[in-house]
């Protein structure tokens, strides 16, 4: 029997019943219990409209893009390029060509490291990261550091997981060429003060890359208002398909950067003596792209915008507040990450019970959470743990999901104590 929340009927500007009905996966049971999905920070579930858009494309509209003279190809090209305009509008980029389609955020960061970093960074140059970055915003810079003799400096977070702004500012120097920072931490939920960071970094003459994986699905992002030089996100976290993501870069930066991968589409002319390169965005999009993924991402963006970020943020913040209060009521539980500004992500440890054991018991209750280091081992080390249990919320979660999480944790405690 699922406990009904005291908040289940709370007024809410988001039509939760309708939203939940849009996600067919939520209708299934897991180990005999209705699925309670609390792992959207890893990857979000897909609304019917995204599933339908992708299958309809394959049924009636599929062909390779950019090259075909025939109608099917031209229509698919138009649909795919239309999504680039949707992305431009979503993040308020100035030009659609500044939005490069790639596999995801990981590929976007690697592109910046390998293209911009290799071309413009020199021995002794410094890159500032933070203690709570995802591995995808650490490892590409280490690879570049080892190749070019760079220095990586790490800005610390306080015990609550908020960035230590004084320590960050003290790391900036005339040698700082890049600040690469998460917008919202996937591991502990901290929302970084990226606007201020970008201002300080620019004043020091550095460029800024923001990893927006956990921001774009949950809040309005305006790359021009932020004045971000580079901004990356993955489609699968904003209810779109896997294998599609976006690197935004200011046109003058992308124009000056050498191509990264070579192949079809990214060229203008090829002879064995010399190749000339295509313009943006194709210069960075070698090979047949994820056509269906891109078009599916367009459906996801439309879907999210039809709900609206105000309603989304209001709902998810209410879930976070409710869940935080409920988890604080469990004395054996320690929340990791209590910054004043947080996304709807709750990381925690329970006594000395291994997070994987908690996760396994939760799974038996139909509650899907992530356990482990969340691809952020340095963040775990900062808080003296090797792993946490992480519950992350999305538009389709309700207060009943929180109650089920809490009940399942209490059950785990009974089993282990
Ligand atoms: N950065 C953050 C903050 C993330 O949450 C993730 C995904 N967990 C990534 C980067 C990497 O994204 P992807 O695997 O889609 O490239």
């Amino acid at each position: 029997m699922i406990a009904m929340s005291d908040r289940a009927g709370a007024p809410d500007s988001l039509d939760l019943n309708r939203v939940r009905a849009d996600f067919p996966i939520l209708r299934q049971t897991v180990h005999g219990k209705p699925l309670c999905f609390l792992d959207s920070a890893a990857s979000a579930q897909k609304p019917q409209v995204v599933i339908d858009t992708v299958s309809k494309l394959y049924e009636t509209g599929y062909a390779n893009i950019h090259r075909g003279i025939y109608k099917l190809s031209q229509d698919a090209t138009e649909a795919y390029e239309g999504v680039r305009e949707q992305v431009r509008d979503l993040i308020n980029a100035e030009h659609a060509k500044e939005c490069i389609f790639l596999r995801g955020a990981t590929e976007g960061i690697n592109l910046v490291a390998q293209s911009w970093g290799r071309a413009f960074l020199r021995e002794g140059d410094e890159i500032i990261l933070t203690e709570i970055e995802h591995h995808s915003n650490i490892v590409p810079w280490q690879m570049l550091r080892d190749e070019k003799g760079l220095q990586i400096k790490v800005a610390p977070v306080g015990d609550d997981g908020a960035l230590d702004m004084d320590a960050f500012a003290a790391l900036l120097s005339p040698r700082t060429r890049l600040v690469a920072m998460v917008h919202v931490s996937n591991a502990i939920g901290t929302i970084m003060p990226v606007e201020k960071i970008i201002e300080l970094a620019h004043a020091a003459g550095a460029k800024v890359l923001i990893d927006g994986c956990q921001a774009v699905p949950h809040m309005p992002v305006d790359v021009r208002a932020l004045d971000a030089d580079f901004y990356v996100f993955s489609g699968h976290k904003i209810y779109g398909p896997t294998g599609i993501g976006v690197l935004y870069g200011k046109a003058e930066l992308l124009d000056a950067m050498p191509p990264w991968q070579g192949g079809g589409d990214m060229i203008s002319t090829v002879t064995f003596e010399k190749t000339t390169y295509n313009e943006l965005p194709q210069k960075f999009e070698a090979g047949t792209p994820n056509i269906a993924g891109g078009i599916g991402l367009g459906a996801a963006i439309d879907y999210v915008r039809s709900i609206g970020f105000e309603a989304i943020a209001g709902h998810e913040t209410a879930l976070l507040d409710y869940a935080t209060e409920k988890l604080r009521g469990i004395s054996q539980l320690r929340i990791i990450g209590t910054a004043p500004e947080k996304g709807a992500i709750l990381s925690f440890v329970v006594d000395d019970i291994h997070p994987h054991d908690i996760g396994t018991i939760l799974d038996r209750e139909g509650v899907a959470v992530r356990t482990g280091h969340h691809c952020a081992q340095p963040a775990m080390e900062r808080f003296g743990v090797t792993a946490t249990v992480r519950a992350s919320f999305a538009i389709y979660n309700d207060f009943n999901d929180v109650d089920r999480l809490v009940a399942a944790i209490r059950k785990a405690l009974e089993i282990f104590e």
Side-chain angles (χ1 to χ4, degrees):
M1 183 67 191
I2 301 161
M4 280 310 291
S5 162
D6 44 333
R7 291 289 308 270
D12 195 290
S13 54
L14 180 140
D15 184 349
L16 200 46
N17 288 336
R18 204 209 79 200
V19 170
R20 285 178 68 81
D22 289 336
F23 289 82
I25 207 162
L26 298 179
R27 279 170 228 147
Q28 69 181 275
T29 55
V30 174
H31 302 304
K33 315 261 167 57
L35 172 63
C36 169
F37 189 77
L38 297 177
D39 194 23
S40 301
S43 200
Q45 297 298 346
K46 316 304 170 199
Q48 190 67 54
V49 65
V50 168
I51 300 165
D52 289 348
T53 300
V54 172
S55 47
K56 185 161 161 255
L57 175 79
Y58 281 128
E59 278 166 20
T60 62
Y62 180 74
N64 208 335
I65 58 171
H66 294 149
R67 282 167 281 218
I69 195 78
Y70 52 92
K71 182 165 176 5
L72 211 51
S73 172
Q74 288 177 350
D75 288 352
T77 304
E78 205 174 295
Y80 189 78
E81 290 304 326
V83 178
R84 206 184 299 278
E85 173 55 29
Q86 283 178 268
V87 169
R88 184 208 66 71
D89 193 51
L90 178 74
I91 61 173
N92 196 30
E94 190 174 356
H95 309 288
K97 67 178 181 179
E98 296 176 309
C99 303
I100 311 294
F101 284 139
L102 301 160
R103 253 188 325 125
T106 300
E107 196 169 29
I109 298 169
N110 277 276
L111 189 157
V112 176
Q114 293 300 315
S115 169
W116 181 82
R118 263 194 184 151
F120 296 109
L121 299 189
R122 304 274 168 272
E123 191 176 343
D125 283 347
E126 295 173 3
I127 295 175
I128 300 179
L129 309 176
T130 81
E131 269 183 319
I132 56 172
E133 296 308 313
H134 189 278
H135 295 162
S136 61
N137 198 27
I138 299 174
V139 184
W141 307 115
Q142 288 175 325
M143 290 160 69
L144 188 69
R145 172 195 66 190
D146 296 345
E147 189 183 315
K148 312 262 316 181
L150 310 174
Q151 273 227 30
I152 291 178
K153 295 186 165 180
V154 183
V157 296
D159 289 341
D160 62 355
L163 187 69
D164 180 336
M165 282 301 276
D166 292 340
F168 168 78
L171 290 179
L172 286 166
S173 86
R175 306 223 67 167
T176 310
R177 301 294 309 281
L178 179 76
V179 174
M181 185 178 291
V182 75
H183 195 161
V184 179
S185 158
N186 67 304
I188 60 168
T190 308
I191 299 178
M192 292 294 201
V194 287
E195 199 162 357
K196 185 75 192 150
I197 295 288
I198 292 170
E199 201 183 305
L200 290 172
H202 284 170
K207 303 286 182 232
V208 182
L209 178 146
I210 301 293
D211 167 2
C213 270
Q214 304 294 342
V216 168
H218 307 289
M219 59 175 77
V221 168
D222 183 332
V223 291
R224 267 191 288 174
L226 289 174
D227 200 19
D229 298 296
F230 300 105
Y231 196 100
V232 296
F233 68 95
S234 293
H236 66 97
K237 296 186 201 266
I238 184 167
Y239 313 100
T242 52
I244 186 81
V246 175
L247 161 66
Y248 160 80
K250 286 181 180 164
E252 69 264 26
L253 292 172
L254 294 174
D255 270 330
M257 284 158 55
W260 178 39
Q261 294 180 333
D265 249 22
M266 54 76 73
I267 55 89
S268 180
T269 61
V270 178
T271 66
F272 278 109
E273 288 70 43
K274 185 176 166 51
T275 290
T276 56
Y277 301 123
N278 208 335
E279 314 220 297
L280 294 176
Q282 273 81 28
K283 183 172 91 172
F284 291 112
E285 297 182 353
T288 300
N290 185 349
I291 301 163
I295 291 170
L297 174 62
I301 292 172
D302 272 347
Y303 179 77
V304 166
R305 298 193 87 174
S306 76
I307 296 170
F309 282 107
E310 205 175 315
I312 292 172
H315 175 63
E316 292 177 352
T317 304
L319 284 172
L320 177 70
D321 291 348
Y322 181 63
T324 305
E325 182 198 316
K326 289 279 166 182
L327 291 192
R328 284 203 171 122
I330 303 176
S331 59
Q332 302 92 327
L333 184 149
R334 174 162 74 105
I335 295 175
I336 312 269
T338 52
E341 299 291 327
K342 273 191 69 175
I345 289 174
L346 267 170
S347 236
F348 55 91
V349 288
V350 185
D351 265 359
D352 50 5
I353 310 172
H354 195 284
H356 289 333
D357 291 332
I358 301 273
T360 304
I361 292 167
L362 265 52
D363 179 52
R364 301 300 305 177
E365 298 300 309
V367 178
V369 290
R370 176 55 60 103
T371 61
H373 53 60
H374 318 296
C375 297
Q377 281 183 331
M380 298 294 106
E381 202 183 322
R382 164 65 182 81
F383 291 96
V385 295
T386 53
T388 70
V389 183
R390 183 189 69 188
S392 53
F393 300 98
I395 43 177
Y396 38 68
N397 291 118
D398 60 13
F399 295 98
N400 188 46
D401 287 334
V402 177
D403 291 342
R404 288 185 59 196
L405 170 70
V406 171
I409 296 169
R410 290 201 186 279
K411 190 156 189 175
L413 276 167
E414 273 166 31
I415 291 169
F416 280 98
E417 286 180 351

